[in-house]
Amino acid sequence: MQHHTTILLIEIGAVLFGLGMLGRLGRRVGMSPIPLYLLAGLAFGQGGLVPLSASEEFIAIGAQIGVILLLVMLGLEYSADELVGNLRTAAPAGLIDMLLNALPGAAFALLLGWGWEAALVLAGITWVSSSGVIAKVLSDLGRVGNRETPTILSVLVIEDLAMAFYLPVVTAVLAGLSLANGLSTLGVAVVTVIAVLVVAIRYGGEISRFMSVKDPEALLLSVLGLTLFIAGVAGELKVSEAVGAFLVGIAISGPVAHHATQILSPLRDLFAAVFFVFFGLSTNPADMPPVLLPAFALAVLTMLTKVLTGYLAAGRVGIALPGRIRAGLALMPRGEFSVVIAGLAVAYGVDPRLAPLATAYVLITVVSGPLLARLPDYGWFKEWVRRRMAAQRAAQKPTPSPE
């Protein structure tokens, strides 16, 4: 027992130290550390260089906590009022986003002959952009105050809210529940989301007042405890732990939400890194070469559809051509939600080729997306945009009628 404990400490210590170095490397070269964490998981998982046998269970539990913390932090970014307001104004853009990006993923799975369950999963993987990566890119490029940024955030909010309904459906389908049970699960999810939004709008202040911002220790324990508790209850109701955590974040508002974000951020970063490593651990690198070409083709296709999504969404609110292009390029990376959805598929034993394809797909989009988002800052690209805008103005200018 003592020997097992010491090996466990050695493995966990080595993993966390290695992740710290990888995160530092990623930030020094200006890229998200997510692909590096995934590669680390691939290197030390099944079929990798050194298997992590002693710490596998710990990493699995840490990964689950990582998903929960990612989602509660996302929920803390929005108030219930903002969420409902965005839902009203950005619903058409959200519908365009779903059609342009979910359908290619579903069609791709069906073309590969993987069945409709894999099609449902791959639709979600290609649909949802990475809020975490995109927020980091916008901050790094100094675009947080740009005119197109609210449009980008509105699309992300719609996607996050849609996941509150999509994840329970996927969980029910993959668990093999009957149609009646599946509809029941969806009904519970809908009622739960609506109930939480109503409670958050009407009583969000009262809920937040139960937690004191003056005592950081008590605030940390109460928010973390409440989040884990609600996530567990949501899991028992087949609504998905991730959705439960997201709704907790929405229900907490005001100064409490601000302080909770600051306190939970280091924990989120720790366990989110563990989550990405765990997903890599569950994928055998030997399974990836056969799916690299399909993953690349799917990535190219759905990155283009994301660019079109951002272009159309920004155009709807009157943003000029440069802002439309920036919006489209910013939406390309997929990340945490795509990996969460693929993780569900792995847990329920969907087609074994899905996990390596999802890993390769996320790696391609999360590495190339932030790099391509920098294109509008290059002089030659700005010149090309200026020429396009000049050509558009010339085409719109009325021709003088002959005397």
Side-chain angles (χ1 to χ4, degrees):
M1 180 66 183
Q2 180 64 32
H3 175 70
H4 176 78
T5 303
T6 54
I7 296 297
L8 176 65
L9 292 174
I10 290 169
E11 286 190 2
I12 293 171
V15 167
L16 294 181
F17 180 78
L19 292 178
M21 294 300 100
L22 288 175
R24 185 181 180 193
L25 173 64
R27 288 177 181 89
R28 287 193 70 173
V29 299
M31 66 179 284
S32 166
I34 291 176
L36 299 179
Y37 297 155
L38 288 170
L39 289 172
L42 287 170
F44 294 101
Q46 45 181 302
L49 302 174
V50 182
L52 300 174
S53 53
S55 57
E56 190 174 346
E57 186 178 353
F58 175 88
I59 291 174
I61 296 170
Q64 200 167 6
I65 294 173
V67 175
I68 290 168
L69 288 175
L70 277 169
L71 271 294
V72 72
M73 294 289 286
L74 199 58
L76 287 169
E77 296 294 324
Y78 313 116
S79 70
D81 291 319
E82 288 172 335
L83 202 62
V84 172
N86 273 315
L87 188 60
R88 288 174 182 159
T89 58
L95 182 61
I96 292 169
D97 180 36
M98 182 188 70
L99 294 174
L100 287 178
N101 298 286
L103 292 181
F108 203 81
L110 294 174
L111 283 173
L112 292 173
W114 288 2
W116 68 275
E117 288 183 350
L120 181 62
V121 170
L122 199 55
I125 290 171
T126 58
W127 175 11
V128 186
S129 298
S130 171
S131 301
V133 174
I134 291 169
K136 184 78 168 59
V137 168
L138 292 176
S139 175
D140 290 346
L141 298 181
R143 296 181 187 169
V144 174
N146 282 20
R147 274 198 68 202
E148 74 274 4
T149 298
T151 301
I152 296 169
L153 296 178
S154 293
V155 170
L156 295 177
V157 170
I158 294 289
E159 289 180 350
D160 295 337
L161 191 58
M163 286 298 102
F165 304 105
Y166 170 84
L167 287 175
V169 172
V170 170
T171 304
V173 168
L174 297 182
L177 299 181
S178 65
L179 178 61
N181 286 336
L183 291 174
S184 172
T185 300
L186 179 60
V188 170
V190 171
V191 170
T192 303
V193 171
I194 293 173
V196 169
L197 288 176
V198 169
V199 168
I201 291 170
R202 293 191 176 181
Y203 307 107
E206 284 76 4
I207 294 171
S208 298
R209 275 194 285 275
F210 277 108
M211 303 173 188
S212 172
V213 298
K214 297 178 181 178
D215 188 344
E217 181 183 342
L219 181 62
L220 170 63
L221 293 172
S222 55
V223 173
L224 182 60
L226 179 64
T227 302
L228 294 175
F229 175 77
I230 296 298
V233 171
E236 285 295 310
L237 294 172
K238 306 295 183 194
V239 175
S240 162
E241 294 91 340
V243 172
F246 180 64
L247 294 176
V248 170
I250 291 170
I252 297 172
S253 60
V256 172
H258 175 70
H259 284 80
T261 300
Q262 292 180 322
I263 292 171
L264 287 174
S265 288
L267 273 181
R268 185 267 320 269
D269 294 341
L270 166 64
F271 285 105
V274 172
F275 165 67
F276 291 118
V277 168
F278 176 73
F279 186 75
L281 287 173
S282 63
T283 304
N284 191 332
D287 296 335
M288 290 190 68
V291 298
L292 279 178
L293 194 57
F296 180 77
L298 184 61
V300 170
L301 173 63
T302 54
M303 287 167 76
L304 289 172
T305 55
K306 275 292 181 184
V307 171
L308 182 58
T309 298
Y311 184 90
L312 294 174
R316 284 187 68 254
V317 292
I319 293 171
L321 181 61
R324 295 183 199 179
I325 294 172
R326 287 194 298 266
L329 292 173
L331 287 169
M332 290 191 294
R334 271 60 159 201
E336 54 274 16
F337 257 131
S338 298
V339 179
V340 170
I341 295 163
L344 278 174
V346 170
Y348 284 102
V350 180
D351 195 295
R353 294 167 293 182
L354 188 59
L357 182 131
T359 304
Y361 174 79
V362 170
L363 282 170
I364 292 166
T365 62
V366 89
V367 170
S368 59
L371 295 176
L372 292 171
R374 297 173 184 268
L375 279 179
D377 297 334
Y378 291 112
W380 62 268
F381 196 89
K382 290 179 180 178
E383 182 59 32
W384 176 80
V385 171
R386 273 196 292 269
R387 286 201 299 268
R388 284 293 306 273
M389 293 178 70
Q392 286 179 357
R393 283 195 293 267
Q396 291 170 356
K397 192 178 294 183
T399 53
S401 56
E403 293 293 334

